[in-house]
Amino acid sequence: MAEPATLIAIAAAIFAAALIRGFTGFGFALAAVPLLGFTLPPSQCVPLAVALQFCASLSDLPRARRTCHWPSLGWLVAGTVVGSPLGVAALAAASPDVARLGIALVCGCGTVALLRGFRFAGLPRGGATLAVGLAAGLCNGLAAMPGPPVVAYYLATPLSPQQGRASLLVFFLATSIASAVSLATAGLFGASLVLPVMVGIPLIVAGSRLGEAVLRLGAGRGHRALSILLLCTVAVTSAVQAVSDLLGHPL
């Protein structure tokens, strides 16, 4: 049984990450994993984040499916399914440090383009969207991070923040299913996660709802800025960790 102080710290980390997820449609694992790392070992942080994201995505699906953009999602998920094995093969041929640098490059390019005001004139055609899905699959296979290419894609489309957010929630439901299967196969879903998951489910649902309410209240203001900031965070942290490991000074 976990100590009360430990459960409080876990609950605070989950709720804070859920607020970000509710507002932007992504970023739960990005925020939750390092915050949970203060109280849990890494072998528990990732499975816990994946399990909670899966549960929250299921609860969001009935509403998100009415708002999300299904045509683009079909191409993105298809590309991710094809690209993920290619990313795994690339990881087998390259070091994890090189993989992190690749993720940093993808995030960095996307962040710079968005900061410079890049937007699609209209919704990209199927082939272009499929290419984004392939890039997401490569990132997923290389570092279990499919989000950056897809987040940048939706930020650059003319879709509303609400529609882009709903599309991201459905996309991450699909990827969290794949991640959960992989983690379960590896035996990383143990009994020690039962209590944190039970504590976390109402918190991630409540935090996501609150973040969504803030998005509606502000009519989408701040959504793009926070999303770009999170992409930049992924780029910087991936690059710093990769360079540190390459130099022989792991963080």
Side-chain angles (χ1 to χ4, degrees), residues 172-198:
F172 284 119
L173 172 59
T175 57
S176 66
I177 292 172
S179 298
V181 170
S182 299
L183 290 168
T185 302
L188 292 177
F189 282 133
S192 60
L193 289 178
V194 173
L195 183 58
V197 168
M198 291 176 61

Side-chain angles (χ1 to χ4, degrees), residues 85 94 112 119 242:
V112 170
R119 287 183 182 273

Side-chain angles (χ1 to χ4, degrees), residues 84-101:
S84 292
L86 299 178
V88 172
L91 180 61
S95 70
D97 309 317
V98 174
R100 292 191 192 98
L101 284 176

Side-chain angles (χ1 to χ4, degrees), residues 102-113:
I103 297 294
L105 181 62
V106 170
C107 293
C109 290
T111 301
V112 170

Side-chain angles (χ1 to χ4, degrees), residues 87-88 91 96 99-100 103 137-146 238:
V88 172
L91 180 61
R100 292 191 192 98
I103 297 294
L138 287 170
C139 292
N140 190 40
L142 283 168
M145 292 174 60
S238 296

Side-chain angles (χ1 to χ4, degrees), residues 36-203:
L36 289 170
F38 288 110
T39 51
L40 294 174
S43 60
Q44 293 184 21
C45 294
V46 174
L48 176 57
V50 168
L52 290 175
Q53 180 152 283
F54 172 73
C55 294
S57 296
L58 278 181
S59 71
D60 288 330
L61 183 60
R63 292 178 305 118
R65 67 183 179 85
R66 296 194 295 267
T67 308
C68 68
H69 188 258
W70 284 108
S72 61
L73 276 168
W75 288 108
L76 289 170
V77 172
T80 303
V81 169
V82 174
S84 292
L86 299 178
V88 172
L91 180 61
S95 70
D97 309 317
V98 174
R100 292 191 192 98
L101 284 176
I103 297 294
L105 181 62
V106 170
C107 293
C109 290
T111 301
V112 170
L114 292 169
L115 287 173
R116 292 177 64 86
F118 173 78
R119 287 183 182 273
F120 295 115
L123 283 172
R125 295 181 180 274
T129 305
L130 180 66
V132 174
L134 284 169
L138 287 170
C139 292
N140 190 40
L142 283 168
M145 292 174 60
V150 178
V151 172
Y153 169 88
Y154 279 118
L155 288 176
T157 67
L159 298 175
S160 69
Q162 291 78 8
Q163 196 170 16
R165 173 192 173 279
S167 300
L168 285 171
L169 290 175
V170 176
F171 175 80
F172 284 119
L173 172 59
T175 57
S176 66
I177 292 172
S179 298
V181 170
S182 299
L183 290 168
T185 302
L188 292 177
F189 282 133
S192 60
L193 289 178
V194 173
L195 183 58
V197 168
M198 291 176 61
V199 170
I201 287 175
L203 290 170

